[in-house]
Amino acid sequence: MAIVGLVIFSPIFFIVFLLLLVNNNGSAFFFQKRPGKGGNIFKVIKFKTMNDKKDSNGNLLPDIKRLTSIGKLVRKTSLDELPQLINVLKGDMSVVGPRPLLPEYLPLYTETQRMRHKIKPGITGWAQVNGRNAISWEKKFEYDVWYVENISFLLDIKIILKTIIKVLRSENINTKNQATTIKFTGNE
């Protein structure tokens, strides 16, 4: 599926790559360490939708102020996720599975939440088609664990079809008034 996806989307991939290359002064990709299956760390590949502007103290500006106009469009259409097909080809990810989160969250998970790392992370998943960034962390983890416990080919097809609908409708992309998801700080 990843090869087919890369071939089908290659014209779009190339156009987005060029636009971001120019818009971000020569940097079209964003690489970030994420935990995969078994908590093993890998580098996720995404299109870079934010610039690297800093304040007078040298600290990065808040995400909302760094999100570029082209970046907003790329995120709205979920095209920023397209390079993750390369992660699928490399074996780091799957097309469907719990989204790979930040390594700093690993020690914050409950035993149940840690179950999300029993399988490879995905480009899309059950939590993404059931609220994405508009739902609580607790609910995201609940959906991730449910998926791990109920994984099947038919469920994956259902998730892929629902993902296409969500992308076309641009639903639940960002948390209200945020450019990125609010950080997970653990369970209260």
Side-chain angles (χ1 to χ4, degrees), residues 64-81:
I64 196 81
K65 291 185 178 183
R66 295 186 301 121
L67 185 62
T68 65
S69 55
I70 293 172
K72 285 178 189 174
L73 176 64
V74 170
R75 280 188 178 209
K76 183 177 181 181
T77 56
S78 295
L79 292 172
D80 59 321
E81 310 291 348

Side-chain angles (χ1 to χ4, degrees), residues 25-137:
N25 300 320
S27 180
F29 295 108
F30 172 73
F31 299 89
Q32 189 175 45
K33 291 181 179 178
R34 300 286 176 100
K37 184 177 179 180
N40 295 322
I41 304 298
F42 71 99
K43 283 189 179 178
V44 72
I45 308 164
K46 295 178 81 170
F47 277 128
K48 187 174 182 178
T49 57
M50 291 188 272
N51 60 40
D52 296 320
K53 291 185 179 175
K54 297 179 180 180
D55 64 17
S56 58
N57 296 323
N59 300 313
L60 284 173
L61 292 174
D63 292 346
I64 196 81
K65 291 185 178 183
R66 295 186 301 121
L67 185 62
T68 65
S69 55
I70 293 172
K72 285 178 189 174
L73 176 64
V74 170
R75 280 188 178 209
K76 183 177 181 181
T77 56
S78 295
L79 292 172
D80 59 321
E81 310 291 348
L82 208 50
Q84 290 174 52
L85 290 170
I86 297 166
N87 287 114
V88 173
L89 287 175
K90 289 175 55 185
D92 297 327
M93 293 178 68
S94 183
V95 173
V96 179
R99 288 290 299 147
L101 302 174
L102 297 172
E104 65 198 58
Y105 297 168
L106 286 171
L108 304 176
Y109 296 147
T110 66
E111 282 304 312
T112 302
Q113 291 167 345
R114 256 188 270 291
M115 288 177 59
R116 66 191 317 280
H117 292 287
K118 285 188 171 189
I119 62 173
K120 288 181 184 178
I123 296 173
T124 187
W126 192 237
Q128 281 61 51
V129 298
N130 285 293
R132 199 173 176 179
N133 291 331
I135 58 176
S136 68
W137 278 108

Side-chain angles (χ1 to χ4, degrees), residues 112 115 118-119 142-152 155:
T112 302
M115 288 177 59
K118 285 188 171 189
I119 62 173
E142 183 182 315
Y143 285 136
D144 288 345
V145 171
W146 183 89
Y147 174 79
V148 170
E149 293 175 334
N150 294 278
I151 191 170
S152 72
L155 179 58

